[in-house]
Amino acid sequence: MSWTSTMSSGYSSLEEDSEEYFFTARTSLFKKPSLKPTNLKDVEKEKELRTHLTYEAIRPKVEQYNTESRDHFKMTLNTNGMYTGFIKVQLDLWRPITVKGGGAGGVKGQEAFYLPRGSINTLHISSTNTVRQVIEALLRKFTVADNPAKFALFKRFSREDQVYTCKLSEEEHPLFLRLVAGPSTDALSFVLKEQQTGEVLWDAFSIPELQNFLRILDKEEQDQICSITKCCNAYREKLEEAMRATGGPG
């Protein structure tokens, strides 16, 4: 089944009970990141920096971000050092998602849908929101019943004319990454994907979900068989016609 709901303009917020959100169609090609060893000391230093930035250190970064921003998605700094802003998350899901009853498209009970790949959702979040909370917020907006553990948030960035994607840990803070990288989506963008094949938590799927996957695979298999059979029959007819023409009458 395919997703057929209407996409509208707006945004969704993790701070408010707003039901507004928007999508824009976009497609991208991703190159596999090079598997270079990570400097553990740099990683630990970066984590420490994220949790110990003072108000005085954050303020110039927020001001610079707002100056460089070319749209109305600005960041706001509170006196307690917490800041709020917007991130855009591209949906790159290959498998169908399970939608709860009462959701988009007048779904009753639970149904499986394919979300349009390349759709973008804009979330209003705070600097305290984690990757896991962002994933859960996206699933709530789509009334998705699937376990959040089935999904992962990736960051995409460009370096030396190469495009890389890197999986974020659940405790990362996306808005901090957005602040440090600046507003340019070439420097940083976020992508929601399924867990990698070797990381799929099959125990997180219910029996009806797994049975639905099998039905989808069976249908795709039958479609492929019909398509190949049709092509072979057409080719056979042309060959027989050519043989009759070559052999002449009778």
Side-chain angles (χ1 to χ4, degrees):
M1 300 180 69
S2 300
W3 188 266
T4 57
S5 63
T6 302
M7 298 179 183
S8 59
S9 296
Y11 70 86
S12 58
S13 172
L14 287 184
E15 295 189 314
E16 303 171 359
D17 293 328
S18 171
E19 292 300 324
E20 296 179 292
Y21 51 94
F22 81 87
F23 306 87
T24 56
R26 182 181 299 175
T27 56
S28 301
L29 296 177
F30 302 106
K31 296 183 179 180
K32 293 183 178 180
S34 58
L35 300 177
K36 296 181 179 179
T38 303
N39 190 322
L40 297 179
K41 292 184 178 180
D42 291 344
V43 172
E44 294 302 322
K45 183 177 180 181
E46 185 178 357
K47 289 182 179 179
E48 181 179 356
L49 175 65
R50 296 177 193 181
T51 56
H52 291 85
L53 282 179
T54 63
Y55 175 86
E56 289 73 18
I58 295 173
R59 182 172 61 182
K61 292 182 180 293
V62 171
E63 292 175 350
Q64 181 180 0
Y65 181 94
N66 290 338
T67 300
E68 296 176 356
S69 179
R70 294 293 181 266
D71 51 35
H72 61 280
F73 295 133
K74 308 293 184 181
M75 289 195 184
T76 302
L77 176 62
N78 300 321
T79 55
N80 61 0
M82 186 183 75
Y83 48 97
T84 60
F86 299 85
I87 63 169
K88 296 181 180 181
V89 182
Q90 184 182 44
L91 305 182
D92 187 25
L93 304 178
W94 289 85
R95 295 192 291 267
I97 52 94
T98 303
V99 180
K100 301 176 184 177
V107 176
K108 297 180 180 180
Q110 291 188 353
E111 293 287 349
F113 289 90
Y114 283 97
L115 284 176
R117 295 183 62 212
S119 298
I120 295 178
N121 182 259
T122 298
L123 293 175
H124 185 222
I125 65 174
S126 76
S127 55
T128 61
N129 290 130
T130 63
V131 165
R132 181 174 180 84
Q133 290 173 326
V134 168
I135 293 174
E136 291 173 348
L138 285 169
L139 299 184
R140 282 198 304 271
K141 288 301 175 182
F142 290 107
T143 63
V144 175
D146 296 282
N147 191 323
K150 299 177 185 177
F151 305 92
L153 190 66
F154 289 73
K155 65 178 180 179
R156 181 182 62 190
F157 58 94
S158 300
R159 181 178 297 169
E160 298 179 353
D161 297 327
Q162 298 291 324
V163 179
Y164 302 95
T165 57
C166 178
K167 180 183 174 181
L168 297 174
S169 70
E170 290 189 343
E171 300 306 316
E172 292 275 4
H173 295 86
L175 194 60
F176 176 85
L177 299 177
R178 180 79 280 161
L179 175 64
V180 172
S184 172
T185 55
D186 291 332
L188 175 71
S189 59
F190 298 103
V191 184
L192 182 71
K193 299 184 178 185
E194 293 96 350
Q195 293 281 6
Q196 298 298 321
T197 303
E199 302 172 351
V200 174
L201 303 177
W202 293 109
D203 291 341
F205 290 89
S206 65
I207 296 300
E209 287 178 314
L210 295 175
Q211 291 174 338
N212 188 66
F213 290 156
L214 289 176
R215 285 195 296 269
I216 293 174
L217 290 174
D218 288 340
K219 183 179 184 303
E220 291 179 349
E221 181 182 16
Q222 291 302 318
D223 290 343
Q224 288 293 326
I225 292 175
C226 291
S227 177
I228 294 173
T229 302
K230 183 178 180 180
C231 290
C232 290
N233 289 337
Y235 188 55
R236 181 182 294 107
E237 290 178 1
K238 290 185 179 295
L239 287 176
E240 292 175 351
E241 182 180 349
M243 290 173 63
R244 287 194 298 270
T246 302

